[in-house]
Coordinates of all heavy atoms in Angstrom, one line a residue:
A1317 N 0.8 -1.2 0.0 CA 0.0 0.0 0.0 C 0.8 1.3 0.0 O 0.3 2.4 -0.2 CB -0.9 0.0 1.2
G1318 N 2.2 1.1 0.2 CA 3.0 2.3 0.3 C 3.0 3.0 1.6 O 3.6 4.1 1.7
T1319 N 2.4 2.5 2.6 CA 2.4 3.1 3.9 C 3.7 2.8 4.7 O 3.9 3.5 5.8 CB 1.2 2.7 4.7 OG1 1.1 1.3 4.8 CG2 -0.1 3.3 4.1
L1320 N 4.4 1.8 4.3 CA 5.7 1.5 4.9 C 6.7 1.2 3.7 O 6.3 0.8 2.7 CB 5.7 0.2 5.8 CG 5.0 0.3 7.1 CD1 4.9 -1.1 7.8 CD2 5.6 1.4 8.0
V1321 N 8.0 1.5 4.0 CA 9.0 1.2 3.1 C 10.1 0.3 3.8 O 10.3 0.4 5.0 CB 9.7 2.4 2.5 CG1 8.7 3.2 1.6 CG2 10.3 3.3 3.6
A1322 N 10.7 -0.6 3.0 CA 11.7 -1.4 3.6 C 13.0 -0.7 3.7 O 13.4 0.1 2.8 CB 11.9 -2.7 2.7
I1323 N 13.7 -0.9 4.8 CA 15.0 -0.3 5.0 C 16.1 -1.4 4.9 O 16.0 -2.4 5.6 CB 15.1 0.4 6.4 CG1 14.0 1.5 6.5 CG2 16.5 0.9 6.7 CD1 13.8 2.0 7.9
R1324 N 17.1 -1.1 4.1 CA 18.1 -2.1 3.8 C 17.4 -3.5 3.6 O 17.6 -4.5 4.3 CB 19.1 -2.2 5.0 CG 19.8 -1.0 5.3 CD 21.3 -1.2 5.0 NE 22.1 0.0 5.4 CZ 23.3 -0.1 5.9 NH1 23.8 -1.3 6.3 NH2 24.0 0.9 6.2
P1325 N 16.6 -3.6 2.5 CA 15.9 -4.9 2.3 C 16.7 -6.1 2.1 O 16.2 -7.2 2.3 CB 15.1 -4.6 1.0 CG 15.8 -3.4 0.4 CD 16.4 -2.6 1.5
E1326 N 18.0 -5.9 1.8 CA 18.9 -7.1 1.7 C 19.3 -7.7 3.0 O 19.8 -8.8 3.1 CB 20.2 -6.7 0.9 CG 21.2 -5.8 1.7 CD 20.8 -4.4 1.9 OE1 19.8 -3.9 1.3 OE2 21.6 -3.6 2.5
V1327 N 19.0 -6.9 4.1 CA 19.3 -7.5 5.5 C 18.0 -8.0 6.1 O 17.1 -7.3 6.3 CB 19.9 -6.3 6.4 CG1 20.2 -6.9 7.8 CG2 21.1 -5.7 5.7
T1328 N 18.0 -9.3 6.3 CA 16.9 -10.0 6.9 C 17.3 -10.9 8.0 O 18.5 -11.3 8.0 CB 16.1 -10.8 5.8 OG1 16.9 -11.8 5.3 CG2 15.6 -9.9 4.7
I1329 N 16.4 -11.3 8.9 CA 16.6 -12.3 9.9 C 15.6 -13.3 9.8 O 14.4 -13.0 9.8 CB 16.6 -11.6 11.3 CG1 17.8 -10.7 11.5 CG2 16.7 -12.7 12.4 CD1 17.8 -10.0 12.8
D1330 N 16.0 -14.6 9.6 CA 15.1 -15.7 9.5 C 15.1 -16.5 10.8 O 16.2 -17.0 11.2 CB 15.5 -16.6 8.3 CG 15.3 -16.0 7.0 OD1 14.6 -14.9 6.9 OD2 15.8 -16.5 6.0
V1331 N 14.0 -16.6 11.5 CA 13.8 -17.2 12.8 C 13.2 -18.6 12.6 O 12.0 -18.6 12.1 CB 13.1 -16.3 13.8 CG1 12.8 -17.1 15.1 CG2 13.8 -15.0 14.0
A1332 N 13.9 -19.6 12.9 CA 13.3 -21.0 12.9 C 12.3 -21.2 14.0 O 12.6 -20.9 15.2 CB 14.4 -22.0 12.9
L1333 N 11.1 -21.7 13.7 CA 10.1 -22.0 14.7 C 9.8 -23.5 14.7 O 9.9 -24.2 13.7 CB 8.8 -21.2 14.4 CG 8.9 -19.7 14.4 CD1 7.6 -19.1 14.0 CD2 9.3 -19.2 15.8
Y1334 N 9.4 -24.0 15.9 CA 9.1 -25.4 16.2 C 7.9 -25.5 17.0 O 7.6 -24.7 17.8 CB 10.3 -26.1 16.9 CG 11.6 -26.0 16.2 CD1 12.4 -24.8 16.3 CD2 12.0 -27.0 15.3 CE1 13.7 -24.7 15.6 CE2 13.3 -26.9 14.6 CZ 14.0 -25.8 14.8 OH 15.2 -25.7 14.1
W1335 N 7.1 -26.6 16.8 CA 6.0 -26.9 17.5 C 6.3 -28.0 18.5 O 6.8 -29.1 18.1 CB 4.8 -27.4 16.7 CG 3.7 -28.0 17.4 CD1 3.3 -29.3 17.4 CD2 2.8 -27.3 18.3 NE1 2.2 -29.5 18.2 CE2 1.9 -28.3 18.8 CE3 2.7 -26.0 18.8 CZ2 0.9 -28.0 19.7 CZ3 1.7 -25.7 19.7 CH2 0.8 -26.7 20.2
H1336 N 6.1 -27.8 19.8 CA 6.4 -28.7 20.9 C 5.0 -29.1 21.5 O 4.2 -28.2 21.7 CB 7.2 -28.1 22.0 CG 8.6 -27.8 21.5 ND1 9.7 -28.5 21.8 CD2 9.1 -26.7 20.8 CE1 10.8 -27.9 21.3 NE2 10.4 -26.8 20.7
Q1337 N 4.9 -30.4 21.9 CA 3.7 -30.8 22.6 C 4.0 -32.0 23.5 O 4.9 -32.8 23.1 CB 2.5 -31.0 21.7 CG 2.6 -32.3 20.9 CD 1.4 -32.5 20.0 OE1 1.1 -31.7 19.1 NE2 0.6 -33.5 20.3
W1338 N 3.2 -32.1 24.6 CA 3.4 -33.3 25.4 C 2.8 -34.5 24.6 O 1.8 -34.4 23.9 CB 2.6 -33.2 26.7 CG 3.3 -32.2 27.6 CD1 2.9 -30.9 27.8 CD2 4.5 -32.3 28.3 NE1 3.8 -30.2 28.7 CE2 4.7 -31.1 29.0 CE3 5.4 -33.4 28.5 CZ2 5.9 -31.0 29.8 CZ3 6.5 -33.3 29.3 CH2 6.7 -32.0 30.0
K1339 N 3.5 -35.7 24.8 CA 3.0 -36.9 24.2 C 1.8 -37.4 25.0 O 1.9 -37.7 26.2 CB 4.1 -38.0 24.2 CG 5.3 -37.6 23.3 CD 6.3 -38.7 23.5 CE 7.6 -38.4 22.7 NZ 8.7 -39.4 22.9
L1340 N 0.6 -37.5 24.4 CA -0.6 -37.9 25.1 C -1.2 -39.1 24.5 O -2.3 -39.5 24.8 CB -1.6 -36.7 25.1 CG -1.2 -35.4 25.7 CD1 -2.3 -34.4 25.5 CD2 -0.9 -35.6 27.1
G1341 N -0.5 -39.8 23.6 CA -1.1 -40.9 22.9 C -1.8 -40.4 21.7 O -1.8 -39.2 21.3
S1342 N -2.5 -41.3 21.0 CA -3.2 -40.9 19.7 C -4.7 -41.0 19.8 O -5.4 -41.4 18.9 CB -2.7 -41.9 18.6 OG -3.0 -43.2 19.0
G1343 N -5.2 -40.5 20.9 CA -6.7 -40.5 21.1 C -7.2 -41.9 21.5 O -6.4 -42.8 21.9
I1344 N -8.5 -42.1 21.5 CA -9.1 -43.3 22.0 C -8.9 -44.4 20.9 O -9.2 -44.1 19.7 CB -10.6 -43.1 22.2 CG1 -10.8 -42.0 23.2 CG2 -11.3 -44.4 22.7 CD1 -10.2 -42.3 24.6
D1345 N -8.3 -45.5 21.3 CA -8.0 -46.5 20.3 C -9.3 -47.0 19.6 O -10.3 -47.2 20.2 CB -7.3 -47.7 20.9 CG -5.9 -47.3 21.4 OD1 -5.4 -46.3 20.8 OD2 -5.4 -48.0 22.3
A1346 N -9.2 -47.3 18.3 CA -10.2 -48.0 17.6 C -10.3 -49.4 18.0 O -9.3 -50.0 18.4 CB -10.0 -47.8 16.1
P1347 N -11.4 -50.1 17.7 CA -11.5 -51.6 18.0 C -10.4 -52.3 17.2 O -10.0 -51.9 16.1 CB -12.9 -52.0 17.5 CG -13.7 -50.7 17.6 CD -12.7 -49.6 17.3
A1348 N -9.9 -53.4 17.8 CA -8.8 -54.1 17.2 C -9.1 -54.5 15.7 O -8.2 -54.5 14.9 CB -8.4 -55.3 18.0
D1349 N -10.3 -54.9 15.4 CA -10.6 -55.4 14.1 C -10.7 -54.3 13.1 O -10.7 -54.5 11.9 CB -11.9 -56.3 14.0 CG -13.1 -55.5 14.5 OD1 -12.9 -54.4 15.2 OD2 -14.2 -55.9 14.3
D1350 N -10.8 -53.0 13.5 CA -10.8 -51.9 12.6 C -9.4 -51.4 12.3 O -9.2 -50.7 11.3 CB -11.5 -50.7 13.2 CG -13.0 -51.0 13.3 OD1 -13.5 -51.9 12.5 OD2 -13.7 -50.3 14.1
G1351 N -8.4 -51.8 13.1 CA -7.0 -51.4 12.8 C -6.7 -50.1 13.6 O -7.5 -49.1 13.6
A1352 N -5.5 -50.0 14.1 CA -5.2 -48.8 14.9 C -5.1 -47.6 14.0 O -5.2 -46.4 14.5 CB -3.8 -49.0 15.6
A1353 N -4.9 -47.7 12.7 CA -4.7 -46.6 11.8 C -6.1 -45.8 11.7 O -6.1 -44.7 11.3 CB -4.3 -47.1 10.4
N1354 N -7.2 -46.5 12.1 CA -8.5 -45.8 12.0 C -8.8 -45.0 13.3 O -9.9 -44.4 13.3 CB -9.6 -46.8 11.7 CG -9.4 -47.5 10.4 OD1 -9.0 -46.8 9.4 ND2 -9.8 -48.8 10.3
A1355 N -8.0 -45.0 14.3 CA -8.2 -44.3 15.5 C -8.3 -42.8 15.2 O -7.5 -42.3 14.4 CB -7.2 -44.6 16.6
R1356 N -9.2 -42.1 15.8 CA -9.3 -40.7 15.6 C -8.2 -40.0 16.4 O -8.0 -40.2 17.5 CB -10.6 -40.2 16.1 CG -11.0 -38.7 15.8 CD -12.3 -38.4 16.4 NE -12.7 -37.0 16.0 CZ -13.8 -36.4 16.4 NH1 -14.6 -37.0 17.3 NH2 -14.1 -35.2 16.0
P1357 N -7.4 -39.1 15.7 CA -6.3 -38.4 16.4 C -6.8 -37.6 17.6 O -7.9 -37.1 17.6 CB -5.8 -37.4 15.4 CG -6.2 -38.0 14.0 CD -7.5 -38.6 14.3
G1358 N -6.0 -37.6 18.7 CA -6.4 -36.8 19.9 C -6.4 -35.3 19.6 O -5.9 -34.9 18.5
L1359 N -7.0 -34.6 20.5 CA -7.1 -33.1 20.2 C -5.8 -32.4 20.1 O -5.6 -31.6 19.2 CB -7.9 -32.5 21.4 CG -9.4 -32.8 21.4 CD1 -10.1 -32.3 22.6 CD2 -10.1 -32.1 20.1
M1360 N -4.8 -32.8 20.9 CA -3.5 -32.1 20.8 C -2.8 -32.5 19.5 O -2.1 -31.7 18.9 CB -2.6 -32.5 22.0 CG -3.0 -31.8 23.3 SD -3.1 -30.0 23.2 CE -1.5 -29.6 22.6
E1361 N -3.0 -33.8 19.1 CA -2.5 -34.1 17.8 C -3.1 -33.3 16.7 O -2.4 -32.9 15.7 CB -2.7 -35.6 17.5 CG -1.7 -36.5 18.3 CD -2.0 -36.6 19.8 OE1 -3.2 -36.4 20.2 OE2 -1.1 -36.8 20.6
Q1362 N -4.4 -33.1 16.8 CA -5.1 -32.3 15.7 C -4.6 -30.9 15.8 O -4.4 -30.2 14.7 CB -6.6 -32.4 16.0 CG -7.2 -33.7 15.6 CD -8.7 -33.6 15.7 OE1 -9.3 -32.7 15.1 NE2 -9.3 -34.6 16.3
I1363 N -4.4 -30.3 17.0 CA -3.9 -28.9 17.1 C -2.5 -28.9 16.4 O -2.2 -27.9 15.6 CB -3.8 -28.5 18.5 CG1 -5.3 -28.4 19.1 CG2 -3.1 -27.2 18.7 CD1 -5.3 -28.2 20.6

């Protein structure tokens, strides 16, 4: 929009970010005959 201008645009800082979470398992397990892969992910896993 032209309301800001870059100063020394060749100078940048790139900050690496990471997601951390407690291991809580993978939600309520599906029945054995359905296969564990069908278990619904837990809320923290979804987040």
Side-chain angles (χ1 to χ4, degrees):
T1319 53
L1320 289 176
V1321 295
I1323 299 170
R1324 298 248 185 138
E1326 74 281 2
V1327 181
T1328 62
I1329 294 180
D1330 292 347
V1331 176
L1333 296 176
Y1334 301 85
W1335 169 246
H1336 297 256
Q1337 70 180 67
W1338 291 103
K1339 295 176 184 177
L1340 300 177
S1342 57
I1344 303 301
D1345 291 336
D1349 58 345
D1350 288 341
N1354 294 326
R1356 189 180 185 186
L1359 286 171
M1360 287 307 300
E1361 284 71 27
Q1362 290 189 45
I1363 292 170

